[in-house]
Amino acid sequence: MSKEKFNRSIDKLDVPLHKLIKREKIAIHQAKKKKKAKKMATRSFLTACCLCLGLLSTGFFSSNMTEALSKVPIIGTIYKEFGEMAADHIEKNQFATIIEKQDQNESLTMTVKEAAYDGGRLLVTVAYAGKTNLLLEEKSIGHQYVTINGETIKSAMETSTQSLLNSNTIIEMHEFTFTNYNEYGNSIEVALHGKNLFGTKGDLQVRFPLKKVQGKIVEINPKAKVQDESYTIEAEKVIFSPLSTRIDLNIDYPEQMDTNDTWPWFNFYAIDDQGNTFDGTQIESGMANDNGHHIILRLPPMEQIPTSLTLIPRDVNQAGQKYNLTALKLKIPLEHNIDE
């Protein structure tokens, strides 16, 4: 099967974005309620976010699915179906590195199809082919994790999304936004580990080297700050990279909020100098340390760097309604920091 036929088949999948279960926001909300469990509050998790598409009748799937998946790189449209904010850039600029390495046991074959890494994020796409039906129920998913250079990844945002393509084939995407940008350098060794996955028994592991994608990376240190009687929000740095636009924020609040566990986790949206708004799935947030002092915002990658980005934080009142904290609106100037 050609790459073009594969992509056309994927395009036929009826997967509205709102049906792609994005539980990061839920995880964030739950973590805020359980801030005393600081490990939970440190990272936003999406564990086993499963979209079961069922047995499709597009004519694409056959008994030779495993062979087809081993030959065809899964690019572009797969990232888009999973709601990946950098999907268009990955496809247009061919940022994904084809890996095609696999491990197998008596029941399951795990193939790492591609990966992308830009110093701030890591994306890994995986295909699973079972000899029998694969199960996506929570009790059957098993245990899996990704390491870099043999160590647990230090992440502020972390998701794992699965899609059941047919009864014995699953496509999966792992995404990590690192706590510290460029902590791992230009070249890394990635390993995907799995144990008793999708109702099967046995261990699987695939290791592969990965280099940072070739693309322009601009780091700006604006030191923009805003404060009111309770809070101070400072934009420490803004990084424009091939896979995202990243904003590192430092947030200070009264000391007693640490003591009585009432510290804030604001919901932000952003507006650029052209009036484009980034909200909902176009802006995601994670926590780089305990109790919300270092917050990371992730926006889509940008072809052109704007002259400014304005952040508006929101909170929720007792009735559960969002409202803007206009006194803490933060305009981040960017035009004077760009090396022409």
Side-chain angles (χ1 to χ4, degrees):
M1 179 181 292
S2 69
K3 170 183 164 183
E4 289 74 22
K5 287 184 178 179
F6 179 89
N7 284 339
R8 285 198 298 270
S9 298
I10 291 298
D11 285 337
K12 294 178 183 178
L13 301 187
D14 184 17
V15 193
L17 183 59
H18 69 275
K19 289 186 179 180
L20 291 166
I21 306 170
K22 300 290 288 183
R23 283 166 49 187
E24 281 180 299
K25 300 296 183 183
I26 297 174
I28 288 172
H29 179 68
Q30 291 173 341
K32 185 175 179 181
K33 288 185 174 181
K34 300 177 181 179
K35 287 178 285 190
K36 291 182 180 179
K38 300 193 178 207
K39 184 177 180 181
M40 289 293 294
T42 302
R43 297 184 290 183
S44 64
F45 287 102
L46 172 73
T47 54
C49 173
C50 307
L51 174 64
C52 298
L53 302 183
L55 293 173
L56 305 181
S57 58
T58 62
F60 169 53
F61 301 107
S62 69
S63 60
N64 295 322
M65 169 60 79
T66 302
E67 180 182 357
L69 288 177
S70 70
K71 294 179 180 179
V72 181
I74 301 170
I75 67 169
T77 50
I78 281 290
Y79 296 104
K80 191 171 295 185
E81 298 298 347
F82 280 147
E84 165 53 43
M85 61 173 57
D88 291 338
H89 285 250
I90 292 172
E91 183 174 15
K92 177 182 176 181
N93 300 292
Q94 299 183 337
F95 283 144
T97 299
I98 296 174
I99 305 299
E100 289 297 342
K101 288 192 174 183
Q102 66 179 215
D103 191 14
Q104 60 185 352
N105 55 35
E106 293 181 355
S107 304
L108 185 67
T109 297
M110 178 175 76
T111 304
V112 175
K113 302 297 294 183
E114 354 178 295
Y117 165 70
D118 71 348
R121 297 185 71 200
L122 171 67
L123 304 174
V124 181
T125 305
V126 191
Y128 298 92
K131 291 186 178 179
T132 58
N133 290 357
L134 300 179
L135 305 176
L136 277 175
E137 290 85 355
E138 186 173 353
K139 65 181 181 180
S140 304
I141 287 175
H143 177 59
Q144 56 188 175
Y145 61 99
V146 180
T147 58
I148 292 178
N149 302 333
E151 298 180 354
T152 302
I153 296 175
K154 300 174 184 177
S155 62
M157 284 171 266
E158 181 175 330
T159 67
S160 178
T161 311
Q162 290 99 14
S163 174
L164 183 64
L165 294 186
N166 68 3
S167 60
N168 66 341
T169 307
I170 289 173
I171 298 295
E172 176 179 73
M173 188 182 77
H174 297 272
E175 182 278 329
F176 300 88
T177 298
F178 305 137
T179 299
N180 299 306
Y181 181 80
N182 210 32
E183 179 170 351
Y184 299 105
N186 294 327
S187 299
I188 58 177
E189 182 185 70
V190 182
L192 176 64
H193 311 259
K195 183 179 181 66
N196 299 335
L197 299 177
F198 311 120
T200 67
K201 298 295 182 181
D203 296 340
L204 294 167
Q205 182 183 104
V206 175
R207 294 182 178 272
F208 57 94
L210 188 63
K211 292 184 178 181
K212 187 183 295 185
V213 300
Q214 297 297 312
K216 186 176 182 181
I217 298 175
V218 176
E219 181 173 339
I220 298 169
N221 299 285
K223 299 299 182 183
K225 182 189 293 187
V226 66
Q227 64 184 77
D228 64 7
E229 64 275 7
S230 299
Y231 307 110
T232 300
I233 302 176
E234 180 180 10
E236 179 183 3
K237 57 186 172 183
V238 182
I239 301 174
F240 299 89
S241 66
L243 299 181
S244 71
T245 299
R246 171 187 173 124
I247 305 173
D248 284 64
L249 298 176
N250 291 322
I251 300 181
D252 285 332
Y253 47 80
E255 186 176 350
Q256 62 266 28
M257 287 187 171
D258 268 334
T259 304
N260 60 23
D261 198 35
T262 59
W263 52 273
W265 191 333
F266 299 129
N267 174 266
F268 287 89
Y269 67 97
I271 304 173
D272 68 12
D273 59 318
Q274 300 300 311
N276 299 307
T277 299
F278 302 88
D279 200 359
T281 59
Q282 291 295 296
I283 181 170
E284 298 180 355
S285 64
M287 192 183 303
N289 60 11
D290 293 338
N291 292 9
H293 285 292
H294 181 189
I295 296 294
I296 296 169
L297 302 180
R298 189 180 74 230
L299 286 69
M302 299 183 184
E303 294 283 359
Q304 300 292 328
I305 296 177
T307 59
S308 68
L309 284 169
T310 300
L311 300 180
I312 299 93
R314 289 179 291 214
D315 210 345
V316 180
N317 61 25
Q318 292 183 344
Q321 298 171 326
K322 292 181 181 179
Y323 63 94
N324 291 345
L325 298 171
T326 54
L328 291 172
K329 182 168 67 173
L330 176 61
K331 184 174 182 178
I332 306 173
L334 304 171
E335 69 273 26
H336 298 302
N337 299 278
I338 303 173
D339 183 4
E340 300 294 343

